[in-house]
Amino acid sequence: PRDSEGAIVSIEPSTGLIRVLVGGKDFEINEFNRATQALRSPGSTFKVFPYAAAIKKGYRPGDLLFDTPRCWYGYCPKNFGDFYMGEVSLSESFENSLNTVAIDLLTKVGFKEVISIANELGVGNEGLLGEYYPLAIGAYEETVLNMTGAYAGIANRGIFISPSPIEEIIGPNNKVIWSNKSNSQKGQKVLSQDVSDIMNWMLQQVVKNGTGKAASLKDRQVAGKTGTSEGSRDLWFIGSIPQLTTGVWIGNDDNSPTIGGSSDAAIIWKSFMEKIEKDLIIMNFPEPKKL
C-alpha cells in the first residue's frame, strides 16, 4: 500500500527449500533485500514460541488463563485497543493475540525455555534474545527469512531444516555435483509431534476465528499468525498449508508507522496463495492426539 515496502518468503517445510524470495518492490530502484537483510520487530508472530513452550510444559488449548491489565516489575503492557477478555482459554488468547497472556506464559515457562525453542527454530541466533518481558510479544528484531523458517519447522511437525535456496549444483557434462534431494538434511527435532500438532491446530483457529481471518482459503487448512509491532511499524502474516510456509512483511525503510494493519499482510498472503494453489494438492495437517 502507498509508499510502503514489503517482502515475501516461501519455504517447503519438508525440505527447507526456499521457493520464493522477494526482498522489495523494485530491485532497480533499491537493491536492499528486506527478506534477508532487514531486521524488523516480528510483533505477535513471535508468540508461537512462548505458546509452544507452554504446550511442551503440559498446557492444553482449553486450559483457562486470565486476561487482565497488570504489570511485571514496572512493565505494564496493553492489549490492542485496551481490550481484555477476563477468563479465557489458551486457544482463545492465541486467536485474539492477547499480549498479557503471552507475557504471563513467558513467566510461567521461563525465559530460557522460550529462547531455547526460538533459537532451535532458527530465530535469535544472530541478534541474541535477552531475558526481558517484552520478548514475548516480539520486542526485538529478526529477518523475514528466519521467522518464516521457524514457522516452517512447526508446520513440519517440529522438525526444523535450515532454509536454503539451492536445489542442486551441476558441473561439466551435466554431472550433478550436489543435490538437495540426495543430501537432504534430516533436520533438527525441536518440538515433539504432539506439541507441533497442537500448535498447528491453534494456528488454524487464528485463521478460522481470530486475527488471521483475511488469510482463509476455500477448501484448505491454513495455519497462521498475524503480527503488528509498536506503532504499526511492521505488519506481518506468516501462514502455512502443510506443504508450504509463506511469510509476508509490510513496513517502511525509515521505520516510520505504516498505514494499515496486519490484515493487509494476510490479504497479500492470500492473494499469493490463490495464484499458486492450483499446483498444490489439498492436504490436511495431522489431527492432534491431545486437545
Side-chain angles (χ1 to χ4, degrees):
R2 298 178 177 82
D3 295 325
S4 294
E5 268 295 349
I8 186 168
V9 173
S10 214
I11 297 171
E12 276 183 11
S14 62
T15 64
L17 281 170
I18 300 167
R19 291 306 195 183
V20 173
L21 193 151
V22 181
K25 280 184 174 180
D26 193 325
F27 184 75
E28 291 184 4
I29 293 174
N30 188 323
E31 296 182 10
F32 182 63
N33 190 327
R34 293 156 194 85
T36 61
Q37 293 176 290
L39 291 168
R40 307 293 304 211
S41 168
S44 293
T45 60
F46 189 86
K47 289 175 182 172
V48 290
F49 306 122
Y51 275 84
I55 297 297
K56 183 179 177 182
K57 193 170 183 178
Y59 282 83
R60 289 294 173 263
D63 289 349
L64 295 177
L65 298 159
F66 288 93
D67 175 41
T68 56
R70 54 192 139 161
C71 299
W72 286 266
Y73 296 97
Y75 173 60
C76 307
K78 294 181 179 180
N79 288 338
F80 181 76
D82 271 345
F83 171 70
Y84 300 91
M85 297 181 68
E87 190 174 66
V88 63
S89 72
L90 189 75
S91 180
E92 288 173 327
S93 71
F94 194 60
E95 289 169 27
N96 291 280
S97 203
L98 304 177
N99 290 336
T100 60
V101 175
I103 294 163
D104 188 33
L105 288 174
L106 174 67
T107 65
K108 286 178 164 65
V109 300
F111 285 101
K112 286 183 172 55
E113 184 64 24
V114 172
I115 291 172
S116 174
I117 289 173
N119 288 167
E120 289 178 17
L121 285 169
V123 167
N125 293 312
E126 290 149 22
L128 300 182
L129 305 176
E131 295 187 7
Y132 51 97
Y133 294 110
L135 174 74
I137 56 176
Y140 85 108
E141 297 174 335
E142 188 51 273
T143 65
V144 180
L145 175 59
N146 287 347
M147 286 301 300
T148 306
Y151 273 68
I154 295 170
N156 195 33
R157 303 193 80 184
I159 299 174
F160 173 73
I161 302 173
S162 186
S164 170
I166 301 171
E167 188 158 3
E168 63 182 12
I169 300 169
I170 299 174
N173 303 315
N174 287 325
K175 181 181 179 182
V176 176
I177 297 172
W178 183 90
S179 166
N180 180 284
K181 191 174 288 185
S182 60
N183 291 275
S184 183
Q185 305 174 57
K186 292 181 179 178
Q188 179 182 357
K189 186 76 173 174
V190 179
L191 301 170
S192 70
Q193 288 187 355
D194 286 344
V195 171
S196 54
D197 288 350
I198 291 173
M199 283 303 303
N200 285 316
W201 182 87
M202 293 211 305
L203 286 161
Q204 289 175 65
Q205 308 317 302
V206 172
V207 177
K208 285 180 182 176
N209 310 312
T211 59
K213 284 182 181 177
S216 61
L217 295 173
K218 187 179 179 181
D219 301 326
R220 284 188 188 269
Q221 292 181 345
V222 177
K225 184 78 184 72
T226 53
T228 309
S229 69
E230 189 174 354
S232 296
R233 288 174 171 81
D234 304 274
L235 309 176
W236 295 75
F237 183 79
I238 308 175
S240 301
I241 60 173
Q243 63 268 55
L244 197 69
T245 298
T246 302
V248 173
W249 168 85
I250 306 169
N252 294 316
D253 289 341
D254 63 2
N255 207 33
S256 60
T258 304
I259 295 171
S262 56
S263 59
D264 292 312
I267 290 166
I268 291 171
W269 186 94
K270 180 174 182 175
S271 177
F272 166 75
M273 290 300 299
E274 286 177 337
K275 298 285 197 305
I276 65 165
E277 65 171 331
K278 66 182 184 299
D279 300 321
L280 300 164
I281 63 170
I282 293 177
M283 296 175 65
N284 291 331
F285 288 97
E287 285 291 323
K289 294 177 184 175
K290 306 172 187 174
L291 278 178

